[in-house]
Amino acid sequence: MKNEAPNGNIQLNLHGLQLNVTTISAAQDRKQNLGIEHIAVKTDDYAGAIAKLKSNGAHIMLEQVSNGHHVAFIEAPDGAQMELIEKK
C-alpha cells in the first residue's frame, strides 16, 4: 500500500512495516543525509528503550513530542539514523 504524504514524500506499508521515502526538509532541526537517511521503529516502551540506548552510550540527536507521540532520533556510528516512535 502506498500513501502520499506532504511535500511529495511517500509512505509504503510493507505488510506492517512502514517505509518513508522523503526529501530533505528545511523544517527539520537535525542533520539530514541523502541516501538511506533513517529507519523508524515503534515501541510500546519508549521510556525504557530511550533509557537503554542512553545507558549504552547512544547519541540521541533529538527528542520531541510529535502528534502526541514521543519521538527520538538516534545516530549510529556510521552516521545513519534511527527514529524511535512511541506506540500508542
Side-chain angles (χ1 to χ4, degrees):
M1 177 197 303
K2 175 179 127 180
N3 294 316
E4 291 193 30
N7 301 322
N9 298 328
I10 296 176
Q11 297 173 333
L12 301 172
N13 182 335
L14 306 174
H15 302 283
L17 175 66
Q18 181 174 310
L19 176 64
N20 295 334
V21 180
T22 62
T23 60
I24 298 294
S25 172
Q28 294 291 338
D29 291 335
R30 60 182 174 75
K31 178 182 166 188
Q32 298 174 76
N33 299 307
L34 295 174
I36 297 178
E37 200 261 338
H38 79 277
I39 187 166
V41 178
K42 288 186 177 179
T43 178
D44 292 329
D45 183 12
Y46 178 86
I50 284 292
K52 184 161 188 149
L53 286 162
K54 287 179 178 178
S55 72
N56 286 325
H59 176 227
I60 310 298
M61 301 171 62
L62 173 70
E63 283 190 80
Q64 63 186 21
V65 175
S66 177
N67 296 322
H69 299 266
H70 287 91
V71 176
F73 285 88
I74 301 96
E75 186 175 28
D78 64 358
Q81 298 174 29
M82 181 183 83
E83 179 181 9
L84 185 66
I85 304 169
E86 176 185 35
K87 186 176 182 181
K88 287 191 175 189

